[in-house]
Amino acid sequence: MASEDRLSSELQAEKKADDFLEVDVTKEVDLVAYYEEAAGRLVVDPEQAKIQFGEVIASGLKLSADGSKVLWPQPTNDPNDPQNWTDFRKNMHLLIMTMSAIVPDFDSGIGIASIFGLAQTYDTTTGVINNLTSNWSIFLLGWGGPFWVILMRRYGRLPVLFWSQLFAFAFLIGATFAPNLPTFAGMRCLTAFFGTCPQVTGLYIVADIFPFHLQARKLNIWTSGFLISPFLSPFAFGFLVARTSWRWAYGIGSMYSAIVLLLIAFFMDETMYDRHLTSIPSRTSTGLRYRFETLIGVTGYKMAKYRARWSEVLWASLDVAWRPQFFFVVLFEALVFGFSIGVNTTNVVFMGTPPPVGFGWGQYAIAVFVGEFTGRYMNDFIMNLNIRRNGGFFEAESRLWTCYVAMPLYVCGFLTLGAGIQYLNTAALIMGWGIALVAITLNTVAVYAYCNDCFPRRAGEVSALLNFARSVGGFAVAYFQVPWATKSGGLVVFGVEAAQVMSFVTLDHPNGLCRLVIALFLIAVPMTQLKGSYFRARFAL
């Protein structure tokens, strides 16, 4: 009897996956509710919209400038709706958010460039510095995200971003002048916890101000910020710390944080727009006073009573994390990105000296830009192809086709990097890490875009959980990577790490580890593509 009930439930869920987008065209359609409930399968073609909603409703839908796509979410007639902002205003916000997303890993990278100077100043070893400061600061980058999302759901994006960056700036100054190692470690960890806010706010803001069909393209730009940031500071400060005090490196980092903070304060606006409200409460102030009240959180505090309750926002991240359309691809991304974080924290130790010429920002930045450029056109091509093949609908699972391009590059890059470290081959190290970065960029954007498409009301939670996964997936790597590479060689280490991203086959011994080549990738991505529509219907929010 129980098995029959379960079978009936599964059949109903599969039927729901096929027809849950059907709309009664005789009634007025709540387009906000449709956008959220149809998460992962939106009608994008205007002609298909006429069939879906009826001629009357479809004629009132707002379209892209070229008339080829229905805009989701549908912009309101309110000029304050961020979807109605000018392209210049939107792109300015994207630029500031990208610069802000650089801050957390840029600050973390200062410690990597300064590791030998820190060890000398505090009379300890580079291993202690890595374990006490670098690894734990990366760990806290992950835990900060869910905390900031909770506040943003209640009080808005701008005040939380402003205050978090103000405190991160203050703690970075504290690290600059820290008199002893415990103080320095505490300041650096607090900088990471507060500084990580832009790495979860960016997905919120992209979803707030850009329509659905442009979001993957804009996410390419934002994710490039935190992908390139770990290499900026070693490049900028590698020679500096070799010739003067590491405190100068942290001082310059503090100056960059101050610039970002001023850009947020003077040029950013609140992007959170409460579309669920039938009438938006009128503003109680205007002009400069309204801007100041919005920046420091007064406006957000007044609006909090109209927004999600504490009981909802406190558990919102957990409510997303367990759903299979999210869990498997995020586990996959955690390993893909996690090992790259581990490499960032240990490359300097592998080389034995601060980054020399050829091991800094230049080559790696080019790799990230290649990934951004490739991903921009690849994601748009896949999206448009999927819309044509699905009769005007877009299926979120098509985003994951990019992973099939990324993973062979990832394995190739890590194997080449391992060979470069093992045989001290500079060209192999640069080429391998560059190829891996292209793959990481492609894969990260695809996963972010897919998860955002599945949970349009939970962009912050999605971003926070992805940030948590990649940070927790990578912070521990530095603990074992150097001793392991010293014992077994870089080729074995990076070969196994690349393989772990691809599968779970056997962990019996090193030869067995080398056989871990396809499974995690094949478990996570094809399964999600095949069963994604069922998952989205059966486990919808």
Side-chain angles (χ1 to χ4, degrees):
M1 187 68 179
S3 61
E4 291 179 359
D5 291 342
R6 184 169 61 255
L7 179 60
S8 175
S9 176
E10 290 180 356
L11 289 173
Q12 290 175 4
E14 289 181 357
K15 182 178 185 300
K16 186 180 178 183
D18 292 333
D19 62 13
F20 75 102
L21 290 174
E22 291 184 2
V23 177
D24 185 351
V25 297
T26 63
K27 298 180 180 180
E28 185 176 353
V29 178
D30 184 347
L31 296 175
V32 175
Y34 167 80
Y35 172 58
E36 295 171 352
E37 293 170 5
R41 192 170 194 269
L42 290 171
V43 57
V44 180
D45 182 69
E47 294 302 316
Q48 180 63 41
K50 294 177 182 178
I51 301 173
Q52 186 77 1
F53 302 120
E55 290 280 354
V56 176
I57 295 175
S59 64
L61 292 175
K62 297 182 179 179
L63 309 179
S64 58
D66 61 2
S68 64
K69 295 179 178 65
V70 179
L71 297 178
W72 298 110
Q74 277 286 288
T76 66
N77 295 321
D78 183 0
N80 294 316
D81 183 348
Q83 291 285 335
N84 291 323
W85 289 356
T86 65
D87 289 343
F88 174 80
R89 191 177 180 187
K90 290 180 179 182
N91 290 324
M92 181 184 68
H93 278 69
L94 179 63
L95 174 63
I96 297 174
M97 278 312 306
T98 303
M99 293 180 64
S100 302
I102 290 173
V103 170
D105 287 329
F106 180 84
D107 292 346
S108 181
I110 298 174
I112 297 170
S114 306
I115 188 170
F116 292 95
L118 287 165
Q120 183 177 8
T121 299
Y122 296 126
D123 193 25
T124 187
T125 65
T126 57
V128 170
I129 296 296
N130 240 357
N131 295 339
L132 191 60
T133 63
S134 296
N135 301 340
W136 283 108
S137 67
I138 292 171
F139 182 69
L140 288 171
L141 282 174
W143 285 99
F147 176 78
W148 302 119
V149 167
I150 289 171
L151 297 182
M152 277 186 274
R153 285 280 301 276
R154 292 281 294 174
Y155 304 118
R157 327 303 192 209
L158 182 60
V160 177
L161 181 64
F162 171 74
W163 285 111
S164 65
Q165 296 313 286
L166 178 62
F167 279 103
F169 170 59
F171 288 126
L172 188 61
I173 293 176
T176 304
F177 298 102
N180 51 59
L181 184 56
T183 302
F184 175 82
M187 291 294 105
R188 189 171 174 190
C189 289
L190 287 170
T191 299
F193 182 82
F194 282 86
T196 194
C197 185
Q199 293 185 340
V200 299
T201 313
L203 185 58
Y204 253 148
I205 290 180
V206 167
D208 286 342
I209 65 179
F210 291 104
F212 151 80
H213 67 281
L214 294 179
Q215 288 175 8
R217 182 185 303 179
K218 303 303 180 181
L219 286 175
N220 262 300
I221 298 172
W222 171 64
T223 55
S224 296
F226 61 75
L227 281 167
I228 199 175
S229 56
F231 311 109
L232 286 173
S233 39
F235 168 78
F237 303 131
F239 289 105
L240 178 67
V241 296
R243 290 162 175 77
T244 186
S245 172
W246 57 267
R247 297 185 191 275
W248 275 104
Y250 274 89
I252 296 171
S254 299
M255 296 176 193
Y256 178 76
S257 295
I259 292 171
V260 170
L261 183 63
L262 291 173
L263 289 173
I264 293 170
F266 288 102
F267 296 101
M268 285 198 70
D269 298 299
E270 178 57 69
T271 65
M272 186 174 184
Y273 189 77
D274 300 279
R275 299 180 186 281
H276 297 86
L277 299 180
T278 54
S279 61
I280 305 295
S282 59
R283 296 180 177 181
T284 57
S285 58
T286 57
L288 186 60
R289 179 182 173 182
Y290 173 79
R291 174 162 185 79
F292 180 73
E293 289 181 349
T294 303
L295 180 68
I296 65 173
V298 173
T299 303
Y301 179 78
K302 293 177 180 178
M303 288 293 297
K305 61 184 177 181
Y306 302 104
R307 294 168 176 165
R309 298 180 179 181
W310 282 112
S311 57
E312 177 184 343
V313 299
L314 287 173
W315 298 103
S317 292
L318 291 177
D319 195 30
V320 171
W322 67 270
R323 299 178 190 275
Q325 66 267 41
F326 180 83
F327 178 80
F328 292 105
V329 292
V330 172
L331 176 62
F332 165 60
E333 170 67 10
L335 292 179
V336 171
F337 207 112
F339 284 128
S340 74
I341 293 176
V343 173
N344 290 342
T345 60
T346 56
N347 259 350
V348 173
V349 181
F350 280 139
M351 301 310 297
T353 58
V357 176
F359 290 94
W361 173 77
Q363 291 82 1
Y364 301 146
I366 291 172
V368 174
F369 289 139
V370 168
E372 193 280 330
F373 180 81
T374 305
R376 171 191 297 253
Y377 293 101
M378 183 181 298
N379 282 304
D380 284 353
F381 173 78
I382 290 172
M383 178 185 68
N384 292 324
L385 178 64
N386 182 255
I387 292 170
R388 289 196 301 271
R389 294 186 63 180
N390 285 285
F393 287 91
F394 174 77
E395 294 279 357
E397 286 72 31
S398 69
R399 299 285 194 196
L400 299 177
W401 285 111
T402 304
C403 301
Y404 291 87
V405 177
M407 282 303 96
L409 292 173
Y410 187 93
V411 173
C412 176
F414 261 62
L415 290 175
T416 307
L417 173 62
I421 289 176
Q422 181 164 332
Y423 299 111
L424 301 180
N425 188 303
T426 303
L429 187 148
I430 294 173
M431 183 181 299
W433 195 218
I435 294 171
L437 279 175
V438 172
I440 293 166
T441 304
L442 293 173
N443 197 80
T444 299
V445 173
V447 172
Y448 266 88
Y450 169 71
C451 294
N452 184 50
D453 291 343
C454 290
F455 303 97
R457 289 184 61 188
R458 296 287 187 268
E461 286 78 7
V462 163
S463 190
L465 289 168
L466 280 165
N467 188 59
F468 175 83
R470 69 185 182 87
S471 300
V472 173
F475 92 100
V477 175
Y479 284 105
F480 64 78
Q481 200 171 56
V482 174
W484 187 12
T486 302
K487 179 181 178 181
S488 303
L491 187 58
V492 171
V493 173
F494 288 99
V496 170
E497 289 178 0
Q500 281 181 325
V501 171
M502 302 291 281
S503 82
F504 288 130
V505 177
T506 175
L507 296 174
D508 293 335
H509 50 79
N511 291 333
L513 280 170
C514 292
R515 294 163 50 199
L516 306 177
V517 181
I518 294 292
L520 180 56
F521 168 64
L522 291 181
I523 288 172
V525 176
M527 182 192 66
T528 303
Q529 288 182 305
L530 290 171
K531 301 294 290 183
S533 60
Y534 168 77
F535 289 152
R536 285 188 276 107
R538 179 69 177 83
F539 302 102
L541 283 170

